Amino acid sequence: MKIAIIGTGYVGLPSGVGFAELGHDVICVDKDASKIERLRKGRITLFEQGLEDLFLKNLKTGRLNFTTDIRSISDSDVVMIAVGTPPHPETGHADMKYIHAAARDIAPYLKNAAVVANKSTVPVGTGDDVERIISLANPKAKFHVISLPEFLREGFAVHDFFNPDRVVVGANASRGKKLMQELYDSFPKPQEILFTDRRSSEMIKYASNAFLAVKIHYANEMQTLCAKVGANIYDVTKGMGMDSRIGAKFLNPGPGYGGSCFPKDTLALVNTADSVGVNMSLVNAAVKGNDNRQIEMAHKILDTVKHVQYPNIGVWGLAFKAGTDDARESPAVRIVQEIKKQRPQVSIRVHDPKAMKEAYQILGNHITYTLTPYDAAFNTDVLAVLTEWKEFSEVSLDRLQMREKRIVDLRNIVDANYAIENGFEYIGLQYRKISR
């Protein structure tokens, strides 16, 4: 099958590589000429575990190609739109300008009753908008618009692509259903597809992400309560997760949810509901509570150095979670920003295995970027662990050269007993342990 993908970001690129690996001819289109040039030369533009090897393999075979020329989609069976839908800076609604632009751009070149698949996370009714835009731009075009929401987890995108826990197709005509069935029949394992109408498919993605965000925030609220009443949050969430109706996933307390999906999707869902007079009180509470959580975590770190006039703070982690270089809406980045806002005189030294470049685009040169976890901790008064990279749990704490031996672990990855044995004051989400 010939597949065109519009957009080469965290959805478009892994999807393009995955479909090429399954034997399809894939052309990825992006307006960013410098990005396309790097990809053509075999230089991958984002980090996902296992992605680069598949990318280089399929680039070499010729099944995977990159271009800025939108005309290259003309002989495609499927055109997938995988562009960003960030919150609008003024309204907070999902900004649809990139989706609408993609629809206008592809309209003149659609042939062979092509299926146009929205993979981007989009508000309910976007399929109708795309259909209308294409029809107005090219009244003679024969095409079918479907919703094909993406459920790849950043950090696990390659695994999730080949092992999806669900495939949802929103199609209002048989052509879209038939072609998607053929496409997913090419997967090594049989894929059960939920076929539904377009609007329901669009809502499924928002409903899923909002539910997970609420679950994360619930765990964080329970952590705060457990700390006050003397219960162990990790035992509590373990006991909760043993209930099959609840499940153990997304019950890990931490500094809050982040990334390119949950913050914008919860906000978009709330705004969609507001526009039709529905009060999403639970999701609203999670949105506001998550913002407050990150501020509270910044104060938790600052409280440990309130006695120091010019404190130095070390930070491990800038990505919103381990396994990705994505720092968009990262709780770690937000906490660093809040620390600088509350105490501008603080010096901050940071290290992240993959997300330094991405974080620099947000934080600029107001902090010091270091090459290793040891460099980030050097001569600091407290070390804050903000992203759950495995590398951080493997650091030899006795090699850290800190001014004061103090760790605030917001990801529960440092061995508290090991830290205490090495003379550290350990402050976690569950308890505070003083060095012996």
Side-chain angles (χ1 to χ4, degrees):
M1 194 175 293
K2 292 185 177 181
I3 300 173
I5 298 181
I6 313 300
T8 56
Y10 287 89
V11 172
L13 186 56
S15 298
V17 171
F19 285 122
E21 176 67 12
L22 292 173
H24 302 287
D25 291 325
V26 178
I27 182 75
C28 294
V29 185
D30 201 296
K31 291 184 175 181
D32 188 335
S34 62
K35 181 191 283 191
I36 290 297
E37 186 62 23
R38 292 197 299 274
L39 291 167
R40 280 175 170 170
K41 290 180 177 179
R43 293 161 53 196
I44 200 160
T45 52
L46 57 85
F47 174 77
E48 273 288 344
Q49 191 68 43
L51 182 63
E52 186 170 12
D53 289 343
L54 291 179
F55 161 74
L56 292 172
K57 172 186 172 183
N58 286 281
L59 191 66
K60 186 176 181 180
T61 64
R63 287 195 297 267
L64 181 65
N65 292 280
F66 299 92
T67 185
T68 58
D69 188 355
I70 196 68
R71 293 172 298 180
S72 62
I73 72 159
S74 61
D75 60 348
S76 300
D77 301 298
V78 181
V79 179
M80 297 183 181
I81 298 177
V83 298
T85 54
H88 192 283
E90 296 177 2
T91 66
H93 289 272
D95 193 339
M96 302 304 293
K97 63 183 178 183
Y98 301 115
I99 295 285
H100 294 167
R104 284 191 296 269
D105 289 345
I106 66 176
Y109 309 107
L110 292 174
K111 297 179 181 178
N112 307 322
V115 169
V116 176
N118 276 329
K119 288 195 78 64
S120 303
T121 302
V122 293
V124 174
T126 298
D128 300 345
D129 295 339
V130 168
E131 194 171 73
R132 183 167 52 253
I133 290 168
I134 294 174
S135 296
L136 288 172
N138 184 4
K140 295 182 179 180
K142 293 182 179 180
F143 63 96
H144 303 272
V145 176
I146 69 168
S147 168
L148 185 65
E150 189 51 72
F151 298 102
L152 301 181
R153 296 170 297 165
E154 288 189 45
F156 303 91
V158 173
H159 174 273
D160 289 354
F161 179 87
F162 293 106
N163 303 276
D165 57 6
R166 67 208 187 276
V167 177
V168 177
V169 175
N172 294 347
S174 59
R175 165 72 172 163
K177 296 178 182 179
K178 181 176 181 293
L179 210 60
M180 288 303 102
Q181 186 67 66
E182 290 178 11
L183 179 60
Y184 283 93
D185 281 346
S186 66
F187 278 61
K189 298 177 183 177
Q191 301 299 321
E192 181 178 354
I193 302 176
L194 171 61
F195 287 108
T196 184
D197 62 274
R198 212 159 51 198
R199 287 183 169 235
S200 296
S201 175
E202 292 165 342
M203 182 58 84
I204 285 169
K205 180 60 185 286
Y206 274 125
S208 298
N209 281 356
F211 181 83
L212 296 176
V214 168
K215 193 174 180 182
I216 291 169
H217 181 60
Y218 180 78
N220 286 336
E221 285 196 333
M222 286 303 305
Q223 179 273 314
T224 301
L225 178 59
C226 285
K228 294 288 187 182
V229 302
N232 186 316
I233 182 58
Y234 300 106
D235 288 344
V236 170
T237 53
K238 183 177 181 180
M240 290 172 57
M242 293 170 71
D243 187 330
S244 60
R245 297 169 301 174
I246 297 174
K249 293 181 180 179
F250 292 87
L251 281 179
N252 293 320
Y257 60 76
S260 63
C261 293
F262 289 0
K264 75 176 181 65
D265 293 352
T266 49
L267 191 59
L269 183 61
V270 166
N271 285 323
T272 296
D274 286 346
S275 70
V276 293
V278 175
N279 178 20
M280 300 290 288
S281 58
L282 189 61
V283 182
N284 245 321
V287 170
K288 295 174 183 176
N290 191 64
D291 288 341
N292 290 335
R293 177 73 173 183
Q294 292 163 27
I295 295 171
E296 290 167 5
M297 295 300 101
H299 283 286
K300 187 180 184 75
I301 297 165
L302 284 171
D303 283 347
T304 68
V305 292
K306 58 187 177 183
H307 61 290
V308 184
Q309 185 174 5
Y310 298 104
N312 295 332
I313 296 177
V315 169
W316 283 355
L318 292 168
F320 84 93
K321 68 174 183 177
T324 179
D325 62 351
D326 196 351
R328 292 175 294 176
E329 299 293 331
S330 169
V333 169
R334 175 77 189 286
I335 289 169
V336 169
Q337 290 173 321
E338 187 64 25
I339 287 173
K340 291 295 287 185
K341 177 182 175 182
Q342 295 297 324
R343 290 191 68 179
Q345 73 273 30
V346 167
S347 295
I348 301 178
R349 299 170 61 84
V350 303
H351 175 74
D352 189 284
K354 298 295 179 182
M356 303 275 267
K357 182 179 178 181
E358 298 300 321
Y360 180 81
Q361 304 301 315
I362 306 168
L363 295 170
N365 58 5
H366 299 294
I367 58 176
T368 301
Y369 302 87
T370 65
L371 294 176
T372 71
Y374 299 98
D375 294 334
F378 180 74
N379 200 36
T380 57
D381 301 290
V382 62
L383 173 64
V385 184
L386 304 185
T387 309
E388 67 278 23
W389 288 100
K390 183 180 179 183
E391 290 94 324
F392 299 152
S393 66
E394 297 172 344
V395 167
S396 297
L397 298 182
D398 56 344
R399 290 177 53 196
L400 298 183
Q401 299 178 34
M402 298 177 64
R403 195 158 67 183
E404 294 192 40
K405 300 180 76 172
R406 185 180 295 113
I407 295 174
V408 176
D409 182 6
L410 301 184
R411 292 293 190 174
N412 194 39
I413 62 170
V414 174
D415 185 324
N417 293 325
Y418 174 47
I420 293 164
E421 288 170 3
N422 280 276
F424 285 85
E425 177 186 356
Y426 176 87
I427 303 160
L429 290 176
Q430 173 54 35
Y431 47 69
R432 180 180 185 129
K433 283 192 174 181
I434 308 300
S435 58
R436 294 170 181 168

